[in-house]
Amino acid sequence: IDYFDELIRQGHKRGKEIWWGLRMNEVERGHLCVYDIKAFAEMKKRNPVKAAHPDWLIRSWWWQGFWNYAVKEVRDYRLSIVREVAEQYDFDGVHLDYLRHTPHLPPGKQWENREHLTGFMRDVRSLLQSQAAKRSRPFLLAARVPDSVEGCHTDGLDIETWAREGLVDVLIFGTRTINVDVASFRKAVADAPVKLLPSFDCFHATDGYHGDQSLDLLCGVFGNYLHQGADGVGIFNNPAGSAEHAKKLGLSQQANYDPEILTTIGSLKTIGGRARYYPIERRGSYAHNEGHGSSNNDAPLP
């Protein structure tokens, strides 16, 4: 079977939108679990495109290097991947993940090079709109960005221009943090029709709550997001299957998975009346700074 086709068909059958995600910069880890010894061997294999084009790369903490979107050939290459998927599959939208991993532009010069990423967004938007016209229904675009407007600017993400020019439909912001300022994003996008979805990583969570995906915690975190006026919420690294299904498929499963999470955290109505606790963000990163936007070194306790 074609996995994408089947995923889309089954999702649409259940009334769900199915989006395709592209990490704008990836850590190549092979197809196996990173904690499997065989996967570490996979991690040592050089990405053939990166090996052939070292001048396309930013030399940073990842040994293979990251795509430098200030290079036109990189933007063209990555756009070709989006085009291949958009033309071949009937997805409802594309999700560009700018958080996992950074940087995307030469370090220290991200903001002055921001037009390169904005240009890429224009190209992706134009591509998806062309495909939408062919199929007579929208092809939406989302972007995952840092947990603050200042963080977006540091990484060269000009979200104000994206919103003003209608280049994005959804902004998903934050991953490992519980401190997200929805109001600042609302001000940044002004009156543009952009949905704002703060997000939380249930596995690589803020330090001190690593691996805690209990419903009590998430009702507190997502309740805060929704009280701030978020249009919805995003969730990352949350297993959606039961322990029984995981065992049948031979997959590892976190022990504290709660099947009610995905049916509860999406609105204040379903969260209301639930037990919940409100954690305080710990100062310092989860383990070491892997470019995930998890550090909170400079923020005083409010």
Side-chain angles (χ1 to χ4, degrees), residues 8-27:
I8 294 167
R9 188 177 71 85
Q10 293 293 340
H12 288 173
K13 181 180 177 181
R14 291 160 173 78
K16 304 295 182 184
E17 288 185 355
I18 306 298
W19 292 51
W20 175 74
L22 175 68
R23 290 183 174 181
M24 297 295 285
N25 259 311
E26 180 58 290
V27 169

Side-chain angles (χ1 to χ4, degrees), residues 178-199:
I178 60 175
N179 290 340
V180 175
D181 186 357
V182 177
S184 67
F185 279 91
R186 186 72 67 191
K187 182 179 180 181
V189 303
D191 297 324
V194 179
K195 297 295 185 183
L196 301 180
L197 275 64
S199 181

